[in-house]
Amino acid sequence: VQLVESGGGLVQAGDSLRISCAASGGTFSRTAMGWFRQAPGKEREFVAAISWSGGNTNYADSVKGRFTISRDNVKNTVSLQMYSLKPEDTAVYYCAADEGPFPASTIISRARSYDYWGQGTQVTVSS
């Protein structure tokens, strides 16, 4: 599975931004997906995850209510819509994939469970 993120950039606090991840190879419609981020000097942290059915999602407390993860199993993409961005959201954002197999409702929130990672896209939020 190959993952390519896009859509990162420089925005101001309070702005919105949508980042996406295009997947190729594997069976995307049976692949659990997640978004993680890593700020300078910090460990990679969980942001959001979605089951392969798309019916179940999970979010880190720090982004709950501001970020929305979604997927398109026809276009083989997963997106992260970010609202009300804060300077502390500044990080490199990575998408990750886990082919399982597991039930349609399974959400993967631990980074070590994921098998495939993209190269990351930089999101910078200025104050």
Side-chain angles (χ1 to χ4, degrees):
V1 176
Q2 292 79 45
L3 304 172
V4 179
E5 300 96 336
S6 62
L10 172 64
V11 298
Q12 294 186 331
D15 283 353
S16 300
L17 189 68
R18 184 180 182 90
I19 57 177
S20 295
C21 174
S24 59
T27 306
F28 183 79
S29 61
R30 293 295 185 266
T31 301
M33 300 295 296
W35 284 99
F36 292 78
R37 66 187 182 187
Q38 187 167 18
K42 295 187 177 181
E43 295 186 352
R44 189 171 299 191
E45 65 174 0
F46 169 73
V47 176
I50 189 166
S51 61
W52 61 254
S53 68
N56 297 84
T57 58
N58 189 32
Y59 298 91
D61 288 342
S62 59
V63 307
K64 200 169 294 184
R66 299 189 299 121
F67 289 12
T68 301
I69 187 172
S70 61
R71 66 187 295 156
D72 186 329
N73 284 350
V74 174
K75 296 181 178 179
N76 288 1
T77 59
V78 61
S79 298
L80 188 68
Q81 178 69 55
M82 302 180 287
Y83 300 98
S84 302
L85 282 161
K86 305 175 181 180
E88 51 263 44
D89 294 319
T90 295
V92 177
Y93 283 71
Y94 300 89
C95 70
D98 187 338
E99 295 187 294
F102 30 60
S105 60
T106 301
I107 302 169
I108 309 294
S109 302
R110 295 185 303 179
R112 62 187 181 189
S113 297
Y114 283 95
D115 303 312
Y116 304 97
W117 293 83
Q119 83 289 347
T121 187
Q122 177 70 48
V123 173
T124 303
V125 185
S126 64
S127 57

